[in-house]
C-alpha cells in the first residue's frame, strides 16, 4: 500500500514522508506542487534516505492547453529525478474550459480535443523515453470530460497508448474513475496482456456526491465500490506494483492525518487486498 500525498493534504512532503515511515508504508505518491514547495533537491534525498519508493508523481497532462509541452517536460524531469514509477497524466478537457471557472471562449469539438491529446503524446513520449520515465494515462469518470480529461474509459486510454512501448506509456486503473464501466474487466485484462498497467489507485465513490464532485472520493467502505473483484482483476493482469490510496475529501483533509492513515490501513486490509 502506498500513500498518495493528497489523502493527507495537510502534510507537507517532509511530514508525509515521516508519516509513511511511522506507519510502516513502503511507498508514497507525490504531487508536483508539494514537491516544489519542499524543493526538488531536498525531496529527492528525503525520500531516498527514508527508504521509500515513489509510486507516482502527479501530475502531468492538460495537453489541450496552450504551452503544455514546456510544463510536461519539466514534469518528466522531476519524475526522473525522483525515480518515480510513473508520471500520472491527466490529459485535459475541452480547450478553453478551466476547472472551477465560468465558461468563456471554448471549443466544443470533443473529437478534435482527443486528437490534440494524441498529437501531444507523440511529442512527449520520445522525451519521456529518453529520461526513462513512464507516462501513465489516467482515464477520468465521464463527469470530468469537459474540464479535466477527454479520456473517460480504460479502453480509450489503452488505444491512445498502443503506438508506444509499454515501458514508455502505460495507464492508471483508478477505482473511482473506472468502477462504473461495463467493459472494465475486459479492459483490465487487455491492459495486462499489453503490459500497460502503470498504477493502481483506490478510493471509494460516494453517493450522493458532494456539491463539488471533485471531492466525492471517499475512504474505502464509505461508498458504492466493490473493491475485491477490481483488485483481483488487476492482480490477475500481472500488476505487482504499489497500490495507492488517493482520496480528495474535505472531511478527510480536515481530520488528523495520522488517524486517516490508520483508518486507511485498516480499510485497505479488509476491503482492498485480494481474497486469494
Amino acid at each position: 500500500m502506498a500513500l498518495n500525498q493528497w489523502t493527507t493534504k495537510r502534510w507537507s512532503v517532509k511530514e508525509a514522508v515521516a508519516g509513511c515511515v511511522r506507519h510502516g508504508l513502503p511507498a508514497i505518491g507525490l504531487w508536483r506542487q508539494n514537491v516544489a514547495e519542499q524543493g526538488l533537491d531536498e525531496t529527492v534525498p528525503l525520500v531516498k534516505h527514508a527508504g521509500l519508493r515513489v509510486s507516482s508523481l502527479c501530475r502531468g497532462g492538460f495537453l489541450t492547453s496552450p504551452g503544455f509541452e514546456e510544463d510536461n517536460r519539466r514534469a518528466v524531469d522531476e519524475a526522473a529525478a525522483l525515480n518515480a514509477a510513473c508520471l500520472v497524466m491527466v490529459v485535459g478537457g475541452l480547450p478553453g474550459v478551466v476547472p472551477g471557472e465560468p465558461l468563456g471562449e471554448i471549443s466544443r469539438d470533443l473529437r478534435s480535443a482527443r486528437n490534440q491529446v494524441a498529437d501531444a503524446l507523440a511529442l512527449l513520449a520520445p522525451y519521456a523515453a529518453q529520461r526513462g520515465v513512464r507516462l501513465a494515462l489516467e482515464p477520468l469518470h465521464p463527469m470530468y470530460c469537459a474540464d479535466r480529461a477527454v479520456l473517460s474509459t480504460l479502453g480509450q486510454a489503452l488505444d491512445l497508448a498502443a503506438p508506444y512501448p509499454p515501458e514508455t506509456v502505460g495507464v492508471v486503473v483508478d477505482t473511482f474513475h473506472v468502477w462504473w464501466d461495463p467493459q472494465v474487466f475486459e479492459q483490465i485484462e487487455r491492459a495486462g496482456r499489453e503490459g500497460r498497467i502503470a498504477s493502481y489507485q483506490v478510493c471509494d465513490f460516494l453517493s450522493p456526491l458532494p456539491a463539488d464532485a471533485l471531492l466525492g472520493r471517499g475512504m474505502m467502505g464509505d461508498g458504492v465500490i466493490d473493491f475485491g473483484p477490481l483488485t483481483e482483476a488487476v492482480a490477475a493482469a500481472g500488476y505487482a506494483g504499489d497500490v495507492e490510496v488517493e482520496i480528495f475529501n474535505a472531511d478527510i483533509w480536515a481530520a488528523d492525518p495520522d488517524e486517516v492513515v490508520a483508518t486507511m490501513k485498516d480499510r485497505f486490509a479488509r476491503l482492498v487486498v485480494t481474497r486469494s
Side-chain angles (χ1 to χ4, degrees), residues 136-147:
L137 303 174
E138 182 170 20
L140 301 195
H141 191 282
M143 64 183 166
Y144 302 120
C145 184
D147 61 350

Side-chain angles (χ1 to χ4, degrees), residues 68-85:
F68 72 86
E69 189 171 3
E70 181 181 356
D71 182 64
N72 277 278
R73 283 176 177 262
R74 284 198 301 268
V76 168
D77 292 342
E78 292 161 13
L82 290 161
N83 195 28

Side-chain angles (χ1 to χ4, degrees), residues 102-232:
L103 293 181
E105 295 271 339
I106 68 166
S107 168
R108 292 179 170 83
D109 189 342
L110 181 56
R111 178 179 294 183
S112 175
R114 288 174 173 150
N115 289 338
Q116 283 183 248
V117 170
D119 292 342
L121 190 60
L123 291 175
L124 294 173
Y127 185 74
Q130 291 171 7
R131 304 289 282 124
V133 169
R134 192 180 199 189
L135 305 179
L137 303 174
E138 182 170 20
L140 301 195
H141 191 282
M143 64 183 166
Y144 302 120
C145 184
D147 61 350
R148 286 182 170 85
V150 293
L151 289 184
S152 301
T153 69
L154 195 54
Q156 287 176 312
L158 288 168
D159 289 345
L160 191 61
Y164 307 99
E167 64 271 18
T168 300
V169 182
V171 298
V172 180
V173 179
D174 184 317
T175 57
F176 180 86
H177 294 303
V178 304
W179 72 274
W180 60 274
D181 184 352
Q183 296 297 315
V184 67
F185 293 107
E186 291 87 345
Q187 295 303 325
I188 290 173
E189 182 182 10
R190 173 189 169 190
R193 290 197 310 271
E194 298 176 5
R196 297 283 179 185
I197 301 179
S199 178
Y200 180 41
Q201 297 180 334
V202 298
C203 74
D204 220 329
F205 190 103
L206 299 180
S207 182
L209 287 169
D212 184 350
L214 187 66
L215 305 184
R217 303 170 73 104
M219 185 66 72
M220 296 81 71
D222 288 349
V224 300
I225 296 176
D226 186 3
F227 292 96
L230 288 167
T231 300
E232 289 167 2

Side-chain angles (χ1 to χ4, degrees), residues 56-61 86-90 134 136 138 172 199 201:
S56 74
L57 179 64
C58 196
R59 57 174 168 66
C86 64
L87 173 64
V88 174
M89 302 292 287
V90 176
R134 192 180 199 189
E138 182 170 20
V172 180
S199 178
Q201 297 180 334

